[in-house]
Amino acid sequence: MPPVSCNVKILNHTPEPLALIYAAFRQCYHSGYIVDMWERLLSGAVSKEEQAEFVRKVIESGHTSPIEHVSFTFAAEGISRALSHQLVRHRIASYSQQSQRYVNASAFNYILPPAIAKNPEAKACFEKCMLDITKAYGELKELLEKDGRGDKAKEDARFVLPQATETRIVFTMNCRSLLNFFEHRCCLRAQWEIRHLAELMLEECKEVLPVVFQYAGAKCESLGYCPESEKFTCGRYPQKS
Amino acid sequence: MPPVSCNVKILNHTPEPLALIYAAFRQCYHSGYIVDMWERLLSGAVSKEEQAEFVRKVIESGHTSPIEHVSFTFAAEGISRALSHQLVRHRIASYSQQSQRYVNASAFNYILPPAIAKNPEAKACFEKCMLDITKAYGELKELLEKDGRGDKAKEDARFVLPQATETRIVFTMNCRSLLNFFEHRCCLRAQWEIRHLAELMLEECKEVLPVVFQYAGAKCESLGYCPESEKFTCGRYPQKS
Amino acid sequence: MPPVSCNVKILNHTPEPLALIYAAFRQCYHSGYIVDMWERLLSGAVSKEEQAEFVRKVIESGHTSPIEHVSFTFAAEGISRALSHQLVRHRIASYSQQSQRYVNASAFNYILPPAIAKNPEAKACFEKCMLDITKAYGELKELLEKDGRGDKAKEDARFVLPQATETRIVFTMNCRSLLNFFEHRCCLRAQWEIRHLAELMLEECKEVLPVVFQYAGAKCESLGYCPESEKFTCGRYPQKS
Amino acid sequence: MPPVSCNVKILNHTPEPLALIYAAFRQCYHSGYIVDMWERLLSGAVSKEEQAEFVRKVIESGHTSPIEHVSFTFAAEGISRALSHQLVRHRIASYSQQSQRYVNASAFNYILPPAIAKNPEAKACFEKCMLDITKAYGELKELLEKDGRGDKAKEDARFVLPQATETRIVFTMNCRSLLNFFEHRCCLRAQWEIRHLAELMLEECKEVLPVVFQYAGAKCESLGYCPESEKFTCGRYPQKS
């Protein structure tokens, strides 16, 4: 049960994402049927630069519904249950998370917060606590199995597992939901762990679909000012006057 | 402005849909990280039959959330605004629809209901009405343009356009939302036009992902009985006793 | 079948909306149980001004999730099917709309666009078109009934009904969804009819819950600039530099 | 930091819920404007029995969208973070949850699983683990505060807090989402703690709006059979043949 760190990958995404967004936008203002345009789009009749330029302008003016047609599926490991509880609060998304009811946690991994890692005394205290919990989990699981709880032993023993326990999760979000996710979670006011996840996700998204994600990030990036109060602003952008 | 008929195509869908659903389901019950399994899945280490069998069993037991990771994008033409108004009531979906505010409808196409098509007198009445409306739209557009309404002339002239007017739309739904769509719209109680669209969509979906859509359709298909009241049941399945 | 105009009323709303939002916000940062605070809130232990001030500050800093606990149910009449098709595109909402399949439209009311109303020639053309359609609807309904279509006669005859046809609808939105609705639909770029509806709704909301709706409206009101492109900006606010 | 148990209350709900659902259903099939009917409904012109009978029939036939107009806001205490992580997976809902980043957990309460409570050895092991964690949390918080982390000390110290830690939450769901919640969470396959919460919620809902919640509960109650596989079925209902 070593400390582990965040690893997130795009497992899958909608193919030809730029062409799809371009085609969907065009269908709104175009008299023809977009299927007739689709093959031409894929064969390069409209250059990727031209598609990107068109899409960029419409997104900038605030009309972002067609980017919903494109979804990304991520798989993450090395994240804590503290993080995943925040993650699943994003409701325009789909989640498949490792279950603590079904998966044995006898040798659970955990996330070690950086601020604790760099203070030796705190680190020792944290690690001892992880060991205490591992021991308690094992004992409880055994005692409950003796009581005939069978598979349900894990379900109850896990009540001692810490928020730091590693979890693994597959999740899908469309681009519009992702922009919202980045607005909230790339902000310095967000908790460090989910902010780190968001930054890694954003890097991956930028590679696949730069036109949508180029200027994505904390709200201040698009607003040009920080909406947080004086107490919470990080100072990168001025507050709204 | 001829009558037109429904044409719907899958423009795009999540790639490797079966493997993705299988991987997401497995992540819930599996201690490892699904990314490590993903390459093996794509290279055939678990046969498609085995994947399908696993997925089929979990869906049958009512646990359908992992099928949300897979989305289909459809493009439809030859459908009426009467249909599209019903379609967009499905809220777990994304839509990009041809705008009557921006697209000129001077020579609009229309959908001719089959029950009207087969009665010559009704057909003549319907067609005359379409002509009257076309004429009125043209006149109104011209008069409003003279009044200096510019592009907004279309926006107001379109108030005379019939529910039968053809529209074109790009829409994306995930598999779970699609199953719900088929439950409601493949039912004989649904309006004929949206039922026809639903049947065409279902055929396409079955080809791509049979394990999910094999038994999809009206609610009665999975329930084994008809939930509608005596007045509305079609008789294909017995009512609940 | 006279022209009719928009009438929208709050039919119902979550009771004690300010206290509920205050309590929900406080629960996030408060060690106690909010139920213990609830009776005190209702009996005035925290003044409405103090509650409003607290809520205002948190909303301004962009944390709006607790306002979702409060919903408004509206009933609207005197709106067109052109409007309702736009309205139901707002997906975080619930709708119960008068059905053209079940309700007889032999003497349908309609919405007369103001730009048409003030041009006598256009008005005459529009009104004649409404009469032509009324006549066609009546004939088609009768012919289809003779063909034994029964109740389904209305379902097909309605294909001739214009976008201008009046509809009635009951709809519920929570405050967060309403703020989004107003951002898009109070903008001068929105179509005149839905903008008018949005303005009427906003007036009603302001009376019930000023702290949430005081500064609601088009996006520019909160952004301080217009996000639209040069072609579409109305000029009330400067564009983003 | 004693063990605590689940306490859930309806804090608020849409007023006149039966009349609202009746009115919304009626608006779909009625030529008039429902606002004109509303006052008569509230004054008893249609008896509550008649309203309930109408609503009951439409719900039974599977048309449940109008029940969405009615929402319930609950406040819960005495529930674990293990439970709340499951709860917030229900996405058609609004949540305001006590934050472990802002609320001091130096003397956190916890949920003691019944299967552990009745085994003295397991109970002792569990309680010792809670004490170990409380001690570690206190030490970490102090060490991090000394490091100048200020308020953020809580944010990192909380990584040791167990899944058993009590949380408090305010949440709002509409009736349709509640029916879905009960289908999944009143099932014996659901985890004991969230099932207990669901049962308490259902009791409260039945008192306020019996017509909607009378037959609510696990899926088997409405299906008449158990959709789970042989391994997981509880035997109360036969499996589908």
Side-chain angles (χ1 to χ4, degrees):
Chain A
M1 46 164 293
V4 288
S5 59
C6 181
N7 181 21
V8 63
K9 291 272 174 276
I10 294 176
L11 199 62
N12 215 343
H13 65 78
T14 308
E16 301 291 350
L18 177 60
L20 183 60
I21 293 173
Y22 178 80
F25 264 129
R26 288 295 307 280
Q27 184 65 92
C28 302
Y29 307 111
H30 177 62
S31 64
Y33 180 39
I34 216 59
V35 169
D36 301 330
M37 183 195 278
W38 185 241
E39 288 307 320
R40 296 207 321 275
L41 277 181
L42 298 191
S43 67
V46 180
S47 75
K48 288 207 176 292
E49 289 69 31
E50 200 178 326
Q51 292 177 36
E53 183 60 15
F54 179 84
V55 168
R56 194 186 55 73
K57 276 192 187 153
V58 195
I59 291 176
E60 273 184 15
S61 73
H63 299 274
T64 49
S65 70
I67 68 174
E68 294 179 16
H69 296 295
V70 170
S71 289
F72 288 76
T73 300
F74 299 88
E77 65 172 349
I79 60 170
S80 73
R81 296 276 297 190
L83 187 158
S84 69
H85 203 321
Q86 297 170 69
L87 176 62
V88 300
R89 288 289 297 274
H90 291 266
R91 291 162 292 183
I92 303 183
S94 300
Y95 303 97
S96 298
Q97 182 173 8
Q98 200 175 60
S99 169
Q100 291 189 332
R101 299 176 66 199
Y102 297 104
V103 176
N104 186 1
S106 294
F108 69 88
N109 296 326
Y110 59 83
I111 278 67
L112 176 64
I116 293 176
K118 66 186 180 199
N119 177 327
E121 201 177 346
K123 184 162 181 275
C125 170
F126 189 89
E127 286 172 344
K128 165 143 193 328
C129 187
M130 294 300 110
L131 281 173
D132 288 343
I133 292 174
T134 304
K135 199 160 150 284
Y137 178 89
E139 281 178 32
L140 287 167
K141 183 165 168 290
E142 200 183 319
L143 287 166
L144 293 166
E145 281 167 357
K146 273 194 203 148
D147 278 358
R149 293 278 292 164
D151 273 354
K152 302 242 168 175
K154 291 194 287 288
E155 179 175 316
D156 287 331
R158 68 117 163 199
F159 271 73
V160 299
L161 293 177
Q163 299 299 320
T165 312
E166 186 200 15
T167 188
R168 282 153 178 166
I169 191 164
V170 173
F171 59 103
T172 298
M173 290 184 184
N174 70 45
C175 287
R176 198 180 196 183
S177 187
L178 278 167
L179 287 185
N180 176 274
F181 179 78
F182 295 136
E183 280 188 2
H184 287 86
R185 304 302 185 175
C186 290
C187 173
L188 273 168
R189 199 179 158 182
Q191 185 243 4
W192 65 267
E193 193 189 5
I194 199 167
R195 193 172 69 240
H196 181 51
L197 173 74
E199 285 162 357
L200 294 175
M201 287 165 60
L202 181 51
E203 283 312 302
E204 298 255 319
C205 288
K206 274 182 185 169
E207 280 191 30
V208 176
L209 196 52
V211 65
V212 168
F213 294 106
Q214 199 161 9
Y215 305 107
K219 266 187 249 183
C220 54
E221 305 283 359
S222 55
L223 288 176
Y225 61 83
C226 169
E228 295 287 345
S229 65
E230 200 165 346
K231 185 174 168 194
F232 290 112
T233 188
C234 71
R236 191 162 49 164
Y237 278 85
Q239 290 175 265
K240 198 181 172 183
S241 53
Chain B
M1 44 167 291
V4 289
S5 59
C6 181
N7 181 22
V8 63
K9 291 271 173 277
I10 294 176
L11 198 62
N12 216 342
H13 65 76
T14 307
E16 302 291 351
L18 177 60
L20 183 60
I21 294 171
Y22 178 80
F25 264 129
R26 288 294 309 277
Q27 184 63 90
C28 302
Y29 307 112
H30 176 61
S31 65
Y33 180 38
I34 216 60
V35 169
D36 302 330
M37 182 194 278
W38 186 242
E39 289 306 321
R40 296 207 321 277
L41 277 181
L42 298 191
S43 66
V46 180
S47 75
K48 288 203 177 294
E49 288 68 33
E50 199 177 327
Q51 293 177 37
E53 183 60 14
F54 180 84
V55 168
R56 194 185 56 74
K57 276 192 187 153
V58 195
I59 291 176
E60 273 183 12
S61 73
H63 299 272
T64 49
S65 71
I67 68 173
E68 294 179 18
H69 296 294
V70 171
S71 290
F72 288 76
T73 300
F74 299 88
E77 63 172 351
I79 61 170
S80 73
R81 297 273 300 188
L83 185 158
S84 70
H85 203 322
Q86 296 170 69
L87 175 62
V88 300
R89 288 288 299 274
H90 292 266
R91 289 161 293 184
I92 303 183
S94 300
Y95 302 98
S96 298
Q97 183 173 9
Q98 201 176 57
S99 169
Q100 291 189 331
R101 298 176 68 199
Y102 297 106
V103 176
N104 186 1
S106 292
F108 70 87
N109 296 325
Y110 58 83
I111 279 66
L112 176 66
I116 293 177
K118 66 185 178 198
N119 177 327
E121 200 178 347
K123 184 162 181 275
C125 170
F126 189 87
E127 286 172 346
K128 168 145 191 326
C129 187
M130 294 300 111
L131 281 173
D132 289 342
I133 292 174
T134 304
K135 199 159 150 284
Y137 178 88
E139 281 178 33
L140 287 167
K141 183 165 169 289
E142 199 183 321
L143 287 165
L144 293 167
E145 281 167 356
K146 272 192 203 151
D147 278 358
R149 294 279 291 165
D151 273 356
K152 301 240 167 173
K154 293 194 285 287
E155 179 175 316
D156 287 330
R158 69 117 163 199
F159 272 72
V160 299
L161 294 176
Q163 300 297 319
T165 311
E166 185 200 15
T167 188
R168 284 154 176 165
I169 191 164
V170 173
F171 59 102
T172 298
M173 290 184 183
N174 70 45
C175 287
R176 198 180 196 182
S177 187
L178 278 167
L179 287 185
N180 175 275
F181 178 78
F182 295 136
E183 280 188 2
H184 286 86
R185 304 302 187 173
C186 291
C187 173
L188 273 168
R189 201 182 156 182
Q191 184 244 3
W192 65 267
E193 193 189 6
I194 200 167
R195 193 172 70 239
H196 181 51
L197 173 74
E199 285 161 357
L200 294 175
M201 287 165 58
L202 181 49
E203 282 312 302
E204 298 255 319
C205 289
K206 274 182 185 168
E207 281 191 28
V208 176
L209 197 52
V211 66
V212 168
F213 293 106
Q214 200 159 7
Y215 305 107
K219 266 186 252 184
C220 54
E221 304 284 359
S222 55
L223 289 175
Y225 62 82
C226 170
E228 295 286 345
S229 64
E230 198 164 348
K231 185 173 166 194
F232 291 112
T233 188
C234 72
R236 190 161 51 165
Y237 278 86
Q239 290 176 262
K240 199 181 173 183
S241 53
Chain C
M1 46 165 292
V4 289
S5 59
C6 180
N7 180 22
V8 63
K9 291 271 174 277
I10 294 175
L11 199 62
N12 216 342
H13 65 77
T14 308
E16 300 292 349
L18 177 60
L20 183 60
I21 293 172
Y22 178 81
F25 264 130
R26 287 295 308 278
Q27 185 63 90
C28 302
Y29 307 111
H30 176 63
S31 64
Y33 180 38
I34 216 59
V35 169
D36 302 330
M37 182 194 279
W38 185 242
E39 288 306 321
R40 297 208 320 277
L41 276 182
L42 297 191
S43 65
V46 180
S47 75
K48 290 207 176 291
E49 288 69 30
E50 200 177 327
Q51 292 177 37
E53 183 60 15
F54 179 84
V55 168
R56 194 185 56 74
K57 277 192 187 152
V58 196
I59 292 176
E60 273 183 13
S61 72
H63 300 273
T64 49
S65 71
I67 68 173
E68 294 178 17
H69 296 295
V70 170
S71 290
F72 287 76
T73 300
F74 299 88
E77 64 171 350
I79 60 170
S80 72
R81 296 274 299 189
L83 186 158
S84 70
H85 202 322
Q86 296 171 69
L87 176 62
V88 300
R89 288 289 297 274
H90 292 266
R91 290 161 292 185
I92 304 183
S94 300
Y95 302 97
S96 298
Q97 182 173 8
Q98 201 176 57
S99 169
Q100 291 188 332
R101 298 176 68 198
Y102 297 105
V103 175
N104 186 0
S106 293
F108 69 88
N109 295 326
Y110 58 84
I111 278 67
L112 176 65
I116 293 177
K118 65 186 178 199
N119 177 326
E121 202 177 343
K123 184 163 182 274
C125 169
F126 189 88
E127 286 173 345
K128 168 146 191 326
C129 187
M130 295 300 110
L131 280 174
D132 288 343
I133 293 173
T134 303
K135 199 161 150 283
Y137 178 89
E139 281 178 31
L140 287 166
K141 183 166 169 289
E142 200 183 320
L143 287 166
L144 294 165
E145 281 167 356
K146 272 193 203 150
D147 278 359
R149 294 279 291 165
D151 273 355
K152 301 240 168 175
K154 292 194 287 287
E155 180 174 316
D156 287 330
R158 69 117 163 197
F159 271 72
V160 298
L161 293 176
Q163 299 297 319
T165 312
E166 186 200 15
T167 188
R168 283 153 177 166
I169 192 164
V170 173
F171 59 103
T172 297
M173 291 183 182
N174 71 44
C175 287
R176 198 180 196 183
S177 187
L178 278 167
L179 288 184
N180 175 275
F181 179 78
F182 295 136
E183 279 188 1
H184 286 84
R185 304 302 185 174
C186 291
C187 173
L188 273 168
R189 201 181 157 182
Q191 184 243 4
W192 65 266
E193 194 189 3
I194 200 167
R195 193 172 70 241
H196 182 51
L197 174 74
E199 285 162 357
L200 294 175
M201 286 165 60
L202 180 49
E203 283 311 301
E204 298 254 318
C205 288
K206 275 182 183 168
E207 280 191 29
V208 175
L209 196 52
V211 67
V212 169
F213 295 105
Q214 200 159 9
Y215 305 107
K219 266 187 249 183
C220 55
E221 305 283 0
S222 56
L223 289 174
Y225 62 83
C226 170
E228 294 288 343
S229 64
E230 200 165 345
K231 186 175 166 193
F232 290 112
T233 188
C234 71
R236 192 162 51 166
Y237 278 85
Q239 289 175 265
K240 199 181 173 185
S241 52
Chain D
M1 46 164 292
V4 288
S5 59
C6 181
N7 180 22
V8 63
K9 290 274 175 276
I10 294 176
L11 198 61
N12 216 343
H13 65 77
T14 307
E16 302 292 349
L18 177 59
L20 184 60
I21 293 171
Y22 178 80
F25 264 129
R26 288 295 307 278
Q27 184 63 91
C28 302
Y29 307 111
H30 175 61
S31 64
Y33 180 39
I34 215 61
V35 169
D36 302 330
M37 182 194 278
W38 185 243
E39 288 306 320
R40 296 208 320 276
L41 277 181
L42 298 191
S43 66
V46 180
S47 75
K48 288 204 177 294
E49 289 69 31
E50 199 177 328
Q51 292 177 37
E53 183 61 14
F54 179 84
V55 168
R56 195 185 56 73
K57 276 191 186 155
V58 195
I59 291 176
E60 273 183 12
S61 72
H63 299 273
T64 48
S65 70
I67 69 175
E68 294 179 16
H69 297 294
V70 170
S71 290
F72 287 77
T73 299
F74 299 87
E77 64 172 350
I79 60 170
S80 73
R81 297 275 298 190
L83 185 158
S84 70
H85 203 323
Q86 297 170 69
L87 176 62
V88 301
R89 289 289 298 274
H90 292 265
R91 290 162 292 184
I92 303 183
S94 301
Y95 302 97
S96 298
Q97 183 173 7
Q98 201 175 60
S99 168
Q100 290 188 332
R101 297 176 68 200
Y102 297 105
V103 176
N104 186 359
S106 293
F108 71 88
N109 296 325
Y110 60 82
I111 279 65
L112 176 65
I116 293 176
K118 66 187 181 200
N119 177 326
E121 200 177 345
K123 184 161 181 277
C125 170
F126 189 88
E127 286 172 344
K128 167 142 191 331
C129 187
M130 294 300 111
L131 280 172
D132 288 343
I133 292 174
T134 304
K135 198 159 151 286
Y137 178 90
E139 280 177 33
L140 286 167
K141 183 165 168 290
E142 199 182 322
L143 287 165
L144 293 167
E145 282 167 355
K146 272 192 203 152
D147 278 357
R149 293 280 292 165
D151 273 356
K152 302 240 167 173
K154 293 194 285 288
E155 180 175 314
D156 286 330
R158 69 118 163 199
F159 271 72
V160 299
L161 294 177
Q163 299 298 320
T165 311
E166 185 200 14
T167 189
R168 284 153 177 167
I169 192 164
V170 173
F171 58 103
T172 298
M173 289 184 184
N174 71 45
C175 287
R176 198 179 194 183
S177 186
L178 278 167
L179 288 185
N180 176 275
F181 179 79
F182 295 136
E183 279 187 3
H184 286 86
R185 304 302 186 175
C186 290
C187 172
L188 273 169
R189 200 180 157 182
Q191 183 243 5
W192 64 266
E193 193 189 5
I194 199 166
R195 193 173 69 240
H196 181 51
L197 174 74
E199 285 162 356
L200 294 175
M201 285 165 60
L202 180 50
E203 283 311 302
E204 297 254 320
C205 288
K206 274 182 185 169
E207 281 191 28
V208 176
L209 195 53
V211 66
V212 168
F213 294 105
Q214 200 160 8
Y215 304 108
K219 266 186 252 186
C220 54
E221 304 284 358
S222 55
L223 289 175
Y225 62 82
C226 171
E228 295 287 345
S229 65
E230 198 165 348
K231 184 173 168 195
F232 291 112
T233 188
C234 72
R236 191 162 49 165
Y237 279 85
Q239 290 176 264
K240 199 181 173 181
S241 52

